[in-house]
Amino acid sequence: MSVPKSRRSTSPCEYVIRAGEVDRLVGQLAIKLPKRWDGNRKDALLRTSDDILRESVSANAIWAATDVEREARLRHLTEAYCACAVLQVRLDQIANERPVRRYDEPGNDGETVHVERRCVSDSYLEIVCMEVDKEQALLKGAIKAERARPSHGTGLG
C-alpha cells in the first residue's frame, strides 16, 4: 500500500541516505578539479564529505538504549553536522576561486588558441551546496529529536 506524496513524512534515517548522496556529488566534483588541486586541497574536500557519511552511518548504527549510547549517538550527529559546515566553507572557496582548465583549440586562422574553461559549472556547484544544506537540516532535526528523547538511565544497573 503506498502513501500519497502529500502525507509522506521524512524518514528518521533520511540523513544517512542524503549523506551518501553528498559524498557521491563531492566525489564527482573532486574529479572535475584541476590537477594542481591534487594533494591537500582535494583530499581535504573528499575527507570532509567522507566524515559526513561516516558520522551519519555511525549515529544511525547506535541503538540508544542507555544514556551513554544516546550521548554517543548525539556526538556522531553533531560531528556530521559540523563536517557539513566545514564542507560548505570548502565549497565556498571553490566558488570564489573558480578553478579553470586550460585547453588548446585550433582558431579560425589555423593557429592554436589557449582557452580557459571553468572546471565546475555554477549549476553543479549550486546542486552540491543545496544537497549539503538539506543534509545539514536533516541532521539538525535528528539532533533536536535526540535531545528531546527522555532519559533512559545509566544502564549500569
Side-chain angles (χ1 to χ4, degrees), residues 4-120:
K5 194 171 187 175
S6 63
R7 294 190 181 190
R8 292 180 194 162
S9 61
T10 303
S11 168
C13 67
E14 178 73 22
Y15 64 89
V16 176
I17 296 164
R18 182 77 57 187
E21 181 65 10
V22 167
D23 192 52
R24 183 185 70 78
L25 289 170
V26 170
Q28 289 178 348
L29 184 141
I31 290 169
K32 296 176 181 185
L33 293 173
K35 289 189 181 206
R36 67 181 180 277
W37 275 56
D38 283 351
N40 294 339
R41 292 168 66 183
K42 196 183 288 188
D43 288 346
L45 183 72
L46 292 169
R47 206 173 25 250
T48 305
S49 72
D50 186 58
D51 288 347
I52 295 168
L53 180 60
R54 184 175 25 82
E55 295 295 343
S56 295
V57 170
S58 296
N60 195 54
I62 296 174
W63 185 262
T66 67
D67 282 345
V68 172
E69 292 166 338
R70 185 173 162 240
E71 288 295 321
R73 180 176 161 84
L74 190 58
R75 187 173 46 254
H76 286 298
L77 288 169
T78 304
E79 288 293 325
Y81 183 84
C82 292
C84 282
V86 171
L87 184 57
Q88 283 290 19
V89 171
R90 294 191 191 288
L91 293 172
D92 286 344
Q93 288 173 337
I94 293 170
N96 290 334
E97 196 167 316
R98 303 306 300 167
V100 295
R101 287 192 186 205
R102 292 171 183 89
Y103 299 94
D104 291 337
E105 293 182 354
N108 294 338
D109 56 358
E111 299 226 5
T112 301
V113 178
H114 303 291
V115 178
E116 290 186 350
R117 291 196 186 113
R118 290 183 176 165
C119 294
V120 182

Side-chain angles (χ1 to χ4, degrees), residues 139-151:
L139 287 166
K140 191 174 190 177
I143 290 169
K144 185 177 179 181
E146 195 62 40
R147 287 183 177 155
R149 289 171 132 207
S151 179

